[in-house]
Amino acid sequence: MTERPYVIDELISAKAIAARIEALCREIATEFRDTDKLVVVGLLRGSFVFIADLVRELDLPIEVDFLEASSYGDATESSREVRILKDLRGAIEGRDVLVVEDIVDTGHTLNHVTQLLHSRKPARLKSIALLDKPSRREVDFRADWIGFEIPDEFVVGYGIDFAQRNRNLPFIGAVRFT
Ligand code: 5GP
Ligand code: MG
Ligand code: MG
């Protein structure tokens, strides 16, 4: 595969991400202060760095589980089908659940995943996304917490890839073709 050359422009620094996570975790800990044990659900693969930092800032009893969803664009992008490639290991009925996503873009993925998890009757279900691109929304979905609103740019780093690369960058950057 030949790759078009590109550079990555830093959009959100590692320091800014860490500061935002601290603030978000104070709010999350308040929301779930009475929880028995919070199930923190990471959506693979993009959220793996975010969830790792998030749970280490969260002063709550937690469990971690993962789910992998994939969306397939068809002729009409707005009717995109979301498929579950890997489901949770544990049951969530009657549990407090926090779904952790990297980016809300069209909204299809988190909309579908939260509807699916709701059908399993958790006691409380909340969602958090590190990044939000509101200008790209196709379905009416709002995460309960958002790290940063960003413009319509293709971003990488901090767990997020471009063709499986750049996940290990400590910051969020925008891809710019040169
Ligand atoms: P949605 O279903 O909200 O359109 O899609 C969300 C998913 O699309 C994200 O979890 C992420 O995997 C992918 N995505 C959206 N925007 C970007 C982006 O700028 N960069 C990368 N690498 N993935 C993105
Ligand atoms: Mg994703
Ligand atoms: Mg991806």
Side-chain angles (χ1 to χ4, degrees), residues 70-128:
S70 177
S71 57
Y72 291 82
D74 56 14
T76 57
E77 246 207 14
S78 55
S79 64
R80 282 197 314 165
E81 189 194 334
V82 178
R83 286 193 230 168
I84 304 302
L85 302 180
K86 184 215 168 288
D87 205 340
L88 298 178
R89 286 287 290 275
I92 55 164
E93 185 172 350
R95 308 285 309 274
D96 291 326
V97 179
L98 176 67
V99 181
V100 181
E101 171 66 313
D102 54 357
I103 308 175
V104 187
D105 187 34
T106 64
H108 287 286
T109 305
L110 258 190
N111 191 48
H112 179 91
V113 167
T114 52
Q115 280 181 23
L116 172 72
L117 297 185
H118 258 304
S119 74
R120 298 179 184 176
K121 308 201 183 331
R124 224 175 334 175
L125 179 65
K126 298 281 181 186
S127 59
I128 180 168

Side-chain angles (χ1 to χ4, degrees), residues 15-36:
K15 226 174 137 179
I17 296 169
R20 184 70 187 121
I21 287 176
E22 262 190 57
L24 287 165
C25 283
R26 280 195 294 273
E27 293 181 23
I28 296 167
T30 302
E31 168 69 33
F32 289 105
R33 62 186 172 276
D34 58 349
T35 198
D36 225 29

